[in-house]
Amino acid sequence: MFTNKLHPGTSFPNIKVNLSESETFALGSPINDDADWQMVIVYRGAHCPLCTKFLHELEEVKYLFLDIGIEIVAISADRFEQLERHKEDLKVNFTLGYGLSLADMNQLGVYQSIPRNDHETDHVFSEPAMFVIDREKTIIAVDLSNNPFTRPDVLNLLNGLK
């Protein structure tokens, strides 16, 4: 594992991820007109049950984040087919991006892992991370993890961002 960390108060890098096979979006710029900030959740991918659980927790309180002007987007290095299969179990109603490249992961400074076996996935993937970015693309908060089980508590995160 290696990382090149981003810091609060610095500019979020220009990174685009895929929404569909023909559509991309720029991270760090709110998509929702009701949001002033964007919370980018980087997750390991469809192979990670802890990531799925965390995304479900966010789904349950996403309206509370939007009430304070923060939209949620989640991204992974999964391929389109992996995300589409994952959506069947995921059932979240916030923006999901896929295809995070190694170059993008390097720019974000996230920890990266190589799959241990074919049951995980077939590509390098990012370990969990969270970035809260304002409209000027300034990083407000960062949380990087080198494993899927040390993430911020969703309600503590919400209360801290209030």
Side-chain angles (χ1 to χ4, degrees):
M1 289 188 192
F2 60 92
T3 182
N4 181 23
K5 295 180 176 82
L6 293 175
H7 299 280
T10 62
S11 293
F12 192 77
N14 294 321
I15 294 176
K16 289 187 178 183
V17 293
N18 301 306
L19 276 178
S20 69
E21 290 183 298
S22 61
E23 186 180 6
T24 63
F25 75 100
L27 295 177
S29 300
I31 300 166
N32 187 323
D33 291 335
D34 296 330
D36 294 319
W37 292 4
Q38 187 178 78
M39 181 166 54
V40 176
I41 301 297
V42 182
Y43 69 101
R44 299 172 89 218
H47 70 277
C48 179
L50 294 173
C51 293
T52 299
K53 180 180 180 228
F54 185 72
L55 294 175
H56 282 150
E57 289 173 10
L58 285 170
E59 174 64 23
E60 291 176 15
V61 296
K62 73 171 184 262
Y63 66 94
L64 296 173
F65 281 94
L66 198 51
D67 284 348
I68 62 170
I70 302 173
E71 75 176 2
I72 298 171
V73 301
I75 59 172
S76 76
D78 280 352
R79 293 183 318 281
F80 175 74
E81 301 80 20
Q82 290 171 305
L83 176 60
E84 288 301 302
R85 281 194 310 271
H86 194 205
K87 282 181 179 178
E88 295 171 15
D89 296 325
L90 199 51
K91 297 183 181 13
V92 299
N93 193 23
F94 47 78
T95 302
L96 294 170
Y98 70 94
L100 193 63
S101 71
L102 290 173
D104 295 337
M105 287 186 237
N106 290 337
Q107 278 193 303
L108 291 172
V110 296
Y111 291 97
Q112 300 166 33
S113 291
I114 298 169
R116 295 176 297 170
N117 57 53
D118 292 339
H119 298 290
E120 278 193 328
T121 190
D122 58 357
H123 54 80
V124 172
F125 56 91
S126 172
E127 291 296 337
M130 179 218 54
F131 303 91
V132 179
I133 307 129
D134 69 12
R135 276 214 180 268
E136 289 75 39
K137 294 191 75 165
T138 300
I139 300 169
I140 303 301
V142 176
D143 184 77
L144 300 173
S145 179
N146 68 334
N147 60 68
F149 49 84
T150 57
R151 299 175 195 256
D153 177 84
V154 172
L155 293 179
N156 285 341
L157 177 60
L158 174 69
N159 289 327
L161 291 170
K162 279 183 187 179

